[in-house]
Amino acid sequence: MVFRQKHLLGIEHLHPQEITTLLDLADQYVDLNRRDVKHSEALRGLTQINMFFENSTRTQASFEIAGKRLGADVMNMAMQASSIKKGETLIDTAMTLNAMHPDLLVVRHPHSGAVDLLAQKVNCAVLNAGDGKHEHPTQALLDALTIRRAKGRLHRLNIAICGDISHSRVARSNLILLGKMENRVRLVGPATLMPSQIDQFGVEVYEDMAEGLKDVDVVMMLRLQRERMDGGFIPSEREYYHRYGLDADKLSHAKADAIVMHPGPMNRGVEIDGELADDINRSVIQEQVEMGVAVRMAAMDLLARNLRDSRSNAPVEV
Ligand code: NCD
């Protein structure tokens, strides 16, 4: 078993073997989560603080449930009501919390890099729950687990990530993870929603859905992230749906057994047809949510083991 990380800040820092270790453990947590009694003692005695500086439904709920099932004492900071509103900096808030001896800090922040910065200042394990347009590692890991369980493997698959790529930390983390595991990734979307240095990623780029989806095993749809757009990136939502919204017709270009994914929150009738999203024969959107809890349990369990190890090896202070 290999997992050497102190924090989970991005997929960028993970070795393929560490990804496999985490997914294997998450598979065990999927089984635990399907039982009547869902408790483990992996985080007993540890304190987990969730700090979400951006709105979140599923990610925050998922981290909270994950921590509680592993026996941690979980606290959700209401960042809206916190001292941040009174002008305290992110680092001051973090240092204040640090003085209360948390063991796991789960952070979502609108600025890319903010979570990395925070990790340098505190002495507990930090998990990035999404930082700006940068990374969202647990989302990519839960997507990977969903794909691995649906397809029986996580290599040599053709995967299309479609829509608003340029504003998406989900796309970025997935791109890195799927590349590390030796899959072929294609990006599909309008040129206005493609990141500028796209050539660096070694992926194929398509502007046309029919071409981009041809023979793929996995179709991953993304939300139009309007909160990150300053100006008009698309002519209209109707036009966007017509060209890029996933429906049965566009999906017919993919392999017959291709799966449909979406990280949520989903805008039905904008990037995806509502009926297709609910079609349990094609869509694995609900499985993604289920895998999210298991992956977060695995991530926190592994980080807590490393944290305990580092503390027990620490020289005794006199
Ligand atoms: C994503 C996010 O916040 O980056 N949502 C999520 O965590 N499930 C994607 C999005 O907001 O569209």
Side-chain angles (χ1 to χ4, degrees):
M1 201 200 80
V2 191
F3 194 85
R4 299 207 175 81
Q5 307 292 318
K6 207 170 143 190
H7 307 290
L8 182 62
L9 300 175
I11 299 298
E12 214 167 12
H13 311 289
L14 299 182
H15 188 276
Q17 267 184 319
E18 293 180 305
I19 295 172
T20 303
T21 296
L22 197 151
L23 298 184
D24 290 348
L25 182 59
D27 265 329
Q28 294 178 29
Y29 281 126
V30 174
D31 295 340
L32 178 73
N33 289 338
R34 289 180 180 176
R35 292 198 208 132
D36 285 340
V37 179
K38 303 169 179 62
H39 270 286
S40 133
E41 301 275 273
L43 301 183
R44 194 160 70 101
L46 300 186
T47 301
Q48 172 192 338
I49 302 182
N50 297 334
M51 291 167 80
F52 280 67
F53 295 90
E54 242 185 32
N55 293 340
S56 167
T57 313
R58 74 212 75 222
T59 306
Q60 184 167 352
S62 180
F63 267 112
E64 184 175 351
I65 291 176
K68 286 185 170 158
R69 288 196 180 153
L70 297 181
D73 296 310
V74 186
M75 192 192 119
N76 287 308
M77 288 279 293
M79 297 321 293
Q80 257 59 354
S82 76
S83 293
I84 292 284
K85 282 271 183 282
K86 299 180 188 165
E88 188 174 67
T89 67
L90 168 69
I91 301 303
D92 285 338
T93 306
M95 294 314 287
T96 304
L97 289 175
N98 194 45
M100 300 179 196
H101 297 290
D103 303 287
L104 296 149
L105 211 49
V106 180
V107 188
R108 170 171 284 195
H109 198 279
H111 296 159
S112 305
V115 185
D116 289 49
L117 184 68
L118 194 141
Q120 294 165 21
K121 307 279 177 188
V122 295
N123 34 36
C124 61
V126 176
L127 292 100
N128 181 2
D131 65 323
K133 296 190 275 181
H134 180 225
E135 281 238 34
H136 191 352
T138 55
Q139 179 68 45
L141 288 161
L142 76 87
D143 290 337
L145 185 62
T146 309
I147 295 171
R148 195 172 82 165
R149 291 172 68 103
K151 294 285 155 200
R153 67 180 200 275
L154 187 58
H155 58 272
R156 298 221 199 125
L157 292 166
N158 288 311
I159 298 165
I161 306 181
C162 312
D164 183 0
I165 313 286
S166 63
H167 299 102
S168 176
R169 55 195 175 209
V170 176
R172 202 164 173 284
S173 289
N174 263 299
L175 205 63
I176 301 171
L177 189 153
L178 295 167
K180 281 189 191 219
M181 305 312 275
E182 299 183 3
N183 296 282
R184 279 182 68 176
V185 183
R186 303 169 177 188
L187 301 178
V188 191
T192 48
L193 295 177
M194 285 293 163
S196 47
Q197 306 109 332
I198 198 66
D199 324 338
Q200 290 173 7
F201 287 101
V203 290
E204 297 163 46
V205 180
Y206 295 85
E207 273 197 67
D208 181 77
M209 284 289 270
E211 277 174 41
L213 297 196
K214 195 164 180 324
D215 293 332
V216 297
D217 301 286
V218 177
V219 184
M220 194 180 285
M221 299 308 300
L222 299 170
R223 184 174 66 88
L224 278 178
Q225 314 213 7
R226 294 204 172 272
E227 71 278 16
R228 301 213 171 88
M229 297 181 192
D230 46 0
F233 283 78
I234 56 160
S236 72
E237 284 187 355
R238 248 185 84 175
E239 172 69 15
Y240 184 81
Y241 181 68
H242 177 66
R243 289 199 59 192
Y244 294 102
L246 187 69
D247 57 12
D249 185 42
K250 294 191 189 80
L251 184 63
S252 68
H253 297 279
K255 282 198 185 139
D257 62 353
I259 54 169
V260 174
M261 306 178 74
H262 194 303
M266 180 161 64
N267 289 315
R268 293 168 185 262
V270 180
E271 70 267 0
I272 190 163
D273 168 55
E275 252 177 66
L276 180 57
D278 296 334
D279 179 356
I280 54 165
N281 296 315
R282 305 310 298 271
S283 160
V284 293
I285 296 172
Q286 292 307 319
E287 273 91 327
Q288 287 175 270
V289 179
E290 182 186 5
M291 295 309 125
V293 177
V295 153
R296 288 167 181 127
M297 289 165 87
M300 291 196 289
D301 180 353
L302 291 169
L303 290 175
R305 293 184 206 189
N306 291 349
L307 185 72
R308 287 192 173 110
D309 279 354
S310 72
R311 284 175 180 168
S312 63
N313 293 334
V316 181
E317 285 178 38
V318 282

